[in-house]
Structures are given as structure tokens and as C-alpha cells.
């Protein structure tokens, strides 16, 4: 046991750590510091490595300073460039807008322009405008150009105007879409009313371009239901054409031997063409369905030397023949006989039916208008056309609102049909005085928005009247350009999509009215 205890004591003595000696520890540290200093002085490879990687201490400081300076310079340059761009934009805004190449400063020196020069004479509207300022002259020339072009062409509009139009159209489309989404109900509405001022239209190939007449045309009329137009004239022929506005191909042409056509019209159902001549009592009936031409030599109960003027009754199956000495004869096409006659004082210059065919208006050469009831053959009213010395033509609107009376002086009075039926002295709604010669032709369009007036006594003597405003469209006919010549007959297509006329050159000029979408 004593041996075991001695061994255990030795083992515990070896396992205990040695005691800490501070003095000895300090000496050891000083010795190690002196060794490291000596190592650093003797070995220069460490310093060389530091210089290669980082450079010398002075160079490292200079490099850091230069990098900081470069960073500050770049920031200052960026700020200066931003300021310069802002200054450039401000400078561009301050720069004046570029003037057009045709603007000359010297032109502004001469303020007044002499308008009696032969190149400027057509621009004045009266003797008081013999001297005009340059600004007013430019405005007048601009208006004349717009009239001849039917408005300002798109290429003449500035980019700002085009942009405003596009924005306005987009806003209108958005408003329509919003309105469509907000409401429920029936959205089928009538088309927009025809605007006044300028009538949007396009000149097409003449309606009879496939077969022009060798003599004066006396008739042009659109078929009541088909896309067909008929022309007739003194060349003793009646021709039918299909209307497409581009080629207008010929359908058929009928030659009537020794029969210069004075007037030709479709029947109410559009299946028959009635044609009369200048000095014949005979007239022709052309059955379009069977292709048969039938001459009518005599009419039972008709005591007239010739059959020249007539009107087709809206109810169909009958004609109203204009005789001499103020007589009107009602003729049935089925039996070819006169069933009744009416008489006015003086010679008849024009006849027009009301929209339902119950009334007929007869204009006398003495300037009086007679209103007849067709069912009772009784004169229900009579009045004098205001200011008229000699009447020449008459027309009634399809909607039953207007009655137009033309005179030899070129004045066309527009009345209310209601006033003409109930008043002994009706006053015209408007007296159109744009014609200088006798108003020989009047025609309303099917929607009763346009009245066409013309005189066959002078070239280009034709005007289109906007009935809602009772004003004349300013862009027809085109000034200084002959294309109408002397018009003797006017007509509109069934839905007002086309307008045509018969002139003395044997042509039927055709115009597309762009406001109306259908034929």
C-alpha cells in the first residue's frame, strides 16, 4: 500500500501546471520582439513585396487622393452636363418658330392691293372692294380655294390641326363608347342632318359616258328602285345605264325613228318608260320587262294637237297631260283614255303633285298658282306667286313641307305647303335670287334637304339650296370651271346618293353626294 500511495502522489504532481512567473514571461516577450525587429531589418523581400502590391507609402497616399479628386470631377461634370441640357432646351424654346419659305418680309411693306387688276377682279364682291388689304386678300383667296376643293384638303392642314382633329375624333369615339355602355335601349336612329355651307360631293364619270348623245339631252331620271339611270334627247333615242360612278355601263338603247324626245319618264312602278316628242300627238310606251315598244297614236277624249308635257301620278297607272289654254287631262295608261279634265286661267308653265298624290299644284304663266284636289277635281286654293310676273316652273317636296315656284326673272320662291293650302296670300319662306335668267328646272331630293334650281338659258346656271337653313351651298358649281353647261333637267337618285342633270352638250354629268351612304 505504501508503494501505491507513493506512485499516486508522483502522478498528481506531474499533472499539475507549472506556476506563472511574470518576470520570466516579460523577458521572453522582449526577446521575441528583438528577434522580429532584426528579422525585418535583415530580410528586405517583405518590403519589396509590399511596394510591388501597394506601392510605396507616399505613392499610395497620392493615388488615393487622385482617385478621390477624379470622382469629384466626374460628379461636377455630370451636374454641368445636366444644366447644359436644360439650358439647350430653354434656348430652343426661346428660339423663334421657323417661318414658311414663301413668307417674305418685304411683302408686308405694301398693305393695300389694287383689286381691279384682271387677275384679281374675280375676287371682289362689289365696287367698294376696289382696294383691299393684303391680309383680307389672302383670306379671300383661301376661301375661294376651299370652295373649289370642297373644304380644306388634308395636305394643306398643319400638323397641329391634324393632331387636334385626331384627338377630337378619339374623344368622340370614347364618348360614344361610354354612352353605349351607360344606356340601354334602341340605338337605331335617323342619320345626321345635312350640314349647310359646303356640300361634300365628288364628280364622277358622266352617267351616259358609254353612249353620249349627239344632240341636246332633254331628260335624265333615276329608276325608282333599281340602280339605273335613263337619258333621252333630241337624237331620237332613249338609253339606260347602270350607275356605279366609275364606268356606268350601258344596259340598252332604243332608237325612235323621227321622234326627237322632249320628255321621258319611268312609270310609278318603274316597269314602263313614257316618251313624248315636240310636235307629235303620238307618244311611246316602252315595256322594260318584255322589251316591247308601243306607239300610242290616239287617246280617246283628248282634243289636243300635240302631247308634250306630262307628269306621272304618284298613285300609279295614270298620267296628267298638260294641254293648251290652261287644260290638264288625267289619262289612264290601262285604257289610254282621258277620264277627267281641269282648267286654269292662262297657259300652264308647270305641274307638281303633293307627296301623297291627293293634290296637284299648277303654275300659270300669269304668275298664279292653283291647288287642285285630285279626288274631287275641284280647285281648293289659288294664290299669286310673290313678285312673279311670269311663272316658269314648280316643284313640291316629297316630305310635304315645301313648295318651290320659279319665275322668268330667275327668282325661286320657297313656300310652306301648309300655307299654300290654307292662305290666299302666302309669304315665301325665302326668295332665292342666285339665278340671273329664267328658272326652268326645279327638283327636290328624296329626303327634302336639297332643292336643285337651274336655268337652261345660260351656262353653269345651277344652284343647290340647303332647305333647313334656306341657304345656297357655296361650292357648287365650281367657279371658273365649266362642267355643267346649260342644264334642262335635274334629278336625284332614290336615296340621294347621286345627282345628275341633262345638258346641251349631250352629256349627263354625275355627282356623288358623300353625305348620303346609299344609292
Amino acid at each position: 500500500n505504501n508503494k501505491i500511495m507513493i506512485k499516486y502522489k508522483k502522478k498528481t504532481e506531474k499533472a499539475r501546471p507549472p506556476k506563472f512567473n511574470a518576470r520570466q514571461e516579460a523577458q521572453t516577450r522582449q526577446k521575441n520582439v528583438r528577434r522580429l525587429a532584426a528579422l525585418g531589418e535583415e530580410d528586405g523581400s517583405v518590403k519589396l513585396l509590399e511596394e510591388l502590391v501597394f506601392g510605396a507609402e507616399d505613392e499610395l497616399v497620392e493615388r488615393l487622393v487622385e482617385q478621390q479628386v477624379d470622382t469629384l470631377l466626374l460628379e461636377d461634370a455630370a451636374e454641368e452636363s445636366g444644366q447644359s441640357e436644360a439650358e439647350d432646351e430653354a434656348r430652343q424654346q426661346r428660339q423663334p418658330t421657323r417661318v414658311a419659305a414663301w413668307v417674305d418680309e418685304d411683302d408686308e411693306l405694301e398693305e393695300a392691293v389694287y383689286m381691279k387688276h384682271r387677275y384679281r377682279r374675280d375676287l371682289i364682291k362689289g365696287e367698294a372692294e376696289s382696294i383691299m388689304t393684303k391680309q383680307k386678300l389672302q383670306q379671300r383667296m383661301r376661301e375661294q380655294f376651299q370652295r373649289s376643293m370642297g373644304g380644306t384638303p388634308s395636305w394643306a392642314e398643319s400638323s397641329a390641326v391634324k393632331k387636334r382633329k385626331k384627338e377630337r375624333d378619339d374623344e368622340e369615339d370614347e364618348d360614344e363608347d361610354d354612352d353605349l355602355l351607360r344606356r340601354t335601349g334602341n340605338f337605331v336612329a335617323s342619320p345626321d342632318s345635312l350640314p349647310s355651307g359646303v356640300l361634300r360631293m365628288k364628280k364622277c364619270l358622266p352617267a351616259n359616258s358609254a353612249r353620249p348623245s349627239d344632240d341636246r339631252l332633254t331628260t335624265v331620271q333615276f329608276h325608282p328602285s333599281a340602280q339605273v339611270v335613263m337619258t333621252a334627247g333630241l337624237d331620237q333615242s332613249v338609253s339606260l345605264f347602270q350607275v356605279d360612278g366609275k364606268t356606268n355601263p350601258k344596259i340598252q338603247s332604243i332608237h325612235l325613228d323621227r321622234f326627237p324626245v322632249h320628255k321621258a319618264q319611268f312609270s310609278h312602278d318603274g316597269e314602263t318608260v313614257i316618251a313624248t316628242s315636240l310636235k307629235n300627238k303620238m307618244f311611246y310606251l316602252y315595256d322594260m320587262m318584255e322589251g316591247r315598244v308601243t306607239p300610242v297614236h290616239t287617246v280617246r277624249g283628248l282634243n289636243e294637237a300635240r302631247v308634250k308635257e306630262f307628269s306621272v301620278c304618284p298613285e300609279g297607272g295614270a298620267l296628267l297631260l298638260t294641254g293648251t289654254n290652261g287644260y290638264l287631262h288625267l289619262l289612264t295608261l290601262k285604257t289610254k283614255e282621258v277620264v277627267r279634265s281641269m282648267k286654269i286661267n292662262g297657259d300652264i308653265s308647270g305641274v307638281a303633285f303633293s307627296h301623297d298624290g291627293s293634290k296637284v299644284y299648277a303654275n300659270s304663266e300669269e304668275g298664279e298658282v292653283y291647288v287642285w284636289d285630285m279626288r274631287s277635281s275641284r280647285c281648293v286654293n289659288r294664290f299669286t306667286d310673290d313678285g312673279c310676273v311670269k311663272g316658269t316652273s314648280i316643284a313640291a317636296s316629297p316630305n310635304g313641307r315645301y313648295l318651290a315656284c320659279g319665275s322668268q326673272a330667275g327668282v325661286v320662291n320657297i313656300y310652306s305647303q301648309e300655307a299654300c293650302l290654307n292662305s290666299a296670300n302666302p309669304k315665301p319662306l325665302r326668295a332665292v335670287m342666285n339665278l340671273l335668267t329664267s328658272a326652268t328646272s326645279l327638283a327636290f331630293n328624296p329626303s327634302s334637304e336639297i332643292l336643285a334650281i337651274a336655268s337652261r338659258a345660260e351656262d353653269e346656271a345651277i344652284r343647290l339650296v340647303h332647305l333647313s337653313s334656306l341657304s345656297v351651298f357655296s361650292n357648287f358649281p365650281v367657279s371658273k370651271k365649266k362642267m355643267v353647261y346649260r342644264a334642262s333637267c335635274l334629278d336625284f337618285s332614290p336615296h340621294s346618293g347621286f345627282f345628275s342633270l341633262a345638258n346641251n352638250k349631250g352629256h349627263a354629268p354625275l355627282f356623288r353626294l358623300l353625305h348620303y351612304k346609299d344609292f
Side-chain angles (χ1 to χ4, degrees):
N1 293 331
N2 289 336
K3 289 180 180 180
I4 292 172
M5 290 297 292
I6 291 170
K7 288 181 180 179
Y8 178 76
K9 189 181 291 185
K10 287 182 179 179
K11 284 182 181 181
T12 55
E13 287 177 357
K14 288 180 181 179
R16 289 175 185 173
K19 293 182 179 180
F20 178 76
N21 191 346
R23 185 177 179 181
Q24 187 179 357
E25 184 69 22
Q27 291 175 355
T28 304
R29 288 181 179 178
Q30 290 177 2
K31 189 185 293 183
N32 291 334
V33 169
R34 284 195 298 271
R35 286 178 180 177
L36 287 173
L39 181 62
E41 291 176 358
E42 292 174 0
D43 192 3
S45 61
V46 178
K47 285 189 176 182
L48 179 62
L49 181 62
E50 290 177 354
E51 290 177 0
L52 289 175
V53 177
F54 302 105
E57 183 177 0
D58 296 336
E59 293 176 359
L60 179 61
V61 173
E62 290 178 0
R63 195 178 303 162
L64 293 173
V65 172
E66 288 176 359
Q67 289 180 359
Q68 187 174 5
V69 170
D70 292 339
T71 303
L72 294 174
L73 289 175
L74 289 173
E75 292 177 356
D76 293 339
E79 292 178 359
E80 289 178 1
S81 63
Q83 292 177 357
S84 62
E85 290 178 358
E87 290 176 359
D88 291 339
E89 292 178 358
R91 192 179 301 110
Q92 289 178 1
Q93 292 179 357
R94 288 196 301 269
Q95 286 181 354
T97 57
R98 295 177 61 187
V99 297
W102 55 83
V103 174
D104 192 353
E105 295 178 356
D106 295 337
D107 292 342
E108 303 298 330
L109 300 177
E110 183 185 2
E111 293 295 333
V113 180
Y114 181 66
M115 298 300 298
K116 292 298 183 68
H117 190 274
R118 61 192 180 96
Y119 291 149
R120 295 186 286 267
R121 194 178 303 157
D122 295 332
L123 295 172
I124 63 176
K125 296 181 179 179
E127 294 296 330
E129 293 183 338
S130 59
I131 301 295
M132 189 181 294
T133 62
K134 181 157 292 187
Q135 291 79 6
K136 189 174 181 180
L137 175 60
Q138 291 177 353
Q139 180 66 23
R140 187 67 56 80
M141 294 174 69
R142 187 177 295 110
E143 292 174 355
Q144 186 188 42
F145 173 76
Q146 291 178 359
R147 282 198 304 270
S148 62
M149 296 296 294
T152 305
S154 59
W155 58 263
E157 294 177 346
S158 63
S159 58
V161 174
K162 292 180 180 179
K163 186 177 179 181
R164 285 197 298 270
K165 281 187 175 181
K166 187 177 184 301
E167 292 175 352
R168 185 168 61 250
D169 293 340
D170 294 341
E171 291 177 357
E172 290 177 356
D173 293 340
E174 291 178 359
D175 293 341
E176 290 178 0
D177 295 340
D178 293 342
D179 185 60
L180 181 65
L181 296 173
R182 280 196 299 264
R183 293 193 298 110
T184 59
N186 186 14
F187 280 87
V188 179
S190 61
D192 296 335
S193 59
L194 179 69
S196 61
V198 174
L199 180 62
R200 296 191 306 115
M201 63 194 312
K202 181 180 72 173
K203 188 177 186 299
C204 304
L205 202 66
N208 65 336
S209 59
R211 188 194 178 279
S213 175
D214 297 330
D215 207 331
R216 177 170 65 92
L217 278 185
T218 57
T219 295
V220 62
Q221 188 186 14
F222 290 94
H223 193 274
S225 57
Q227 200 162 330
V228 174
V229 66
M230 173 182 63
T231 63
L234 300 183
D235 64 344
Q236 308 174 26
S237 65
V238 177
S239 302
L240 301 175
F241 304 90
Q242 182 182 355
V243 181
D244 60 7
K246 298 178 181 179
T247 59
N248 303 324
K250 186 184 76 170
I251 299 174
Q252 192 174 12
S253 185
I254 306 161
H255 180 74
L256 304 175
D257 190 28
R258 291 182 295 178
F259 195 85
V261 179
H262 171 71
K263 186 173 184 178
Q265 274 196 307
F266 290 108
S267 60
H268 181 69
D269 56 11
E271 296 182 358
T272 306
V273 174
I274 303 101
T276 62
S277 186
L278 295 171
K279 299 180 180 180
N280 290 1
K281 186 176 181 179
M282 178 188 70
F283 61 93
Y284 281 96
L285 299 178
Y286 168 52
D287 191 325
M288 297 174 60
M289 299 295 103
E290 298 182 4
R292 184 177 66 250
V293 179
T294 304
V296 180
H297 295 280
T298 58
V299 175
R300 188 169 26 174
L302 181 64
N303 297 317
E304 297 287 346
R306 60 184 180 180
V307 176
K308 182 179 177 183
E309 296 287 346
F310 69 95
S311 299
V312 177
C313 296
E315 294 180 350
L319 302 179
L320 190 63
L321 305 179
T322 301
T324 57
N325 301 320
Y327 275 99
L328 291 171
H329 307 284
L330 186 62
L331 164 71
T332 60
L333 290 176
K334 186 175 182 179
T335 60
K336 313 294 189 303
E337 64 178 347
V338 174
V339 293
R340 90 179 58 127
S341 297
M342 297 165 282
K343 187 180 185 308
I344 68 170
N345 296 331
D347 292 328
I348 298 174
S349 60
V351 173
F353 280 96
S354 61
H355 65 287
D356 57 358
S358 61
K359 303 288 189 301
V360 62
Y361 301 90
N363 195 6
S364 72
E365 292 188 355
E366 282 72 19
E368 288 186 319
V369 179
Y370 293 78
V371 185
W372 290 83
D373 183 84
M374 290 301 294
R375 294 181 177 86
S376 62
S377 299
R378 186 172 59 89
C379 181
V380 294
N381 197 18
R382 169 184 172 184
F383 64 91
T384 301
D385 185 14
D386 189 63
C388 177
V389 177
K390 183 178 181 180
T392 54
S393 55
I394 193 170
S397 66
N399 66 352
R401 289 187 58 187
Y402 303 105
L403 181 72
C405 300
S407 66
Q408 191 178 35
V411 179
V412 178
N413 288 327
I414 302 176
Y415 296 91
S416 166
Q417 281 195 33
E418 183 179 1
C420 295
L421 291 172
N422 302 319
S423 175
N425 188 25
K427 296 298 179 184
L429 302 174
R430 173 70 189 275
V432 182
M433 301 184 180
N434 294 76
L435 300 180
L436 303 179
T437 53
S438 177
T440 53
S441 299
L442 306 174
F444 287 92
N445 77 317
S447 63
S448 301
E449 294 177 301
I450 303 174
L451 169 64
I453 62 176
S455 172
R456 60 170 172 261
E458 188 179 353
D459 288 345
E460 309 301 308
I462 181 171
R463 296 292 184 273
L464 298 178
V465 182
H466 181 256
L467 290 172
S468 296
S469 63
L470 297 175
S471 60
V472 176
F473 288 105
S474 60
N475 62 318
F476 185 81
V478 179
S479 60
K480 297 185 178 179
K481 185 178 180 181
K482 283 191 176 183
M483 58 181 179
V484 174
Y485 295 96
R486 301 190 179 189
S488 57
C489 184
L490 316 169
D491 196 30
F492 293 88
S493 61
H495 295 283
S496 304
F498 287 90
F499 168 67
S500 186
L501 55 97
N503 66 18
N504 61 325
K505 299 295 183 179
H507 296 284
L510 184 67
F511 301 91
R512 176 74 174 92
L513 304 186
L514 301 177
H515 175 78
Y516 301 99
K517 305 304 180 184
D518 299 328
F519 174 77

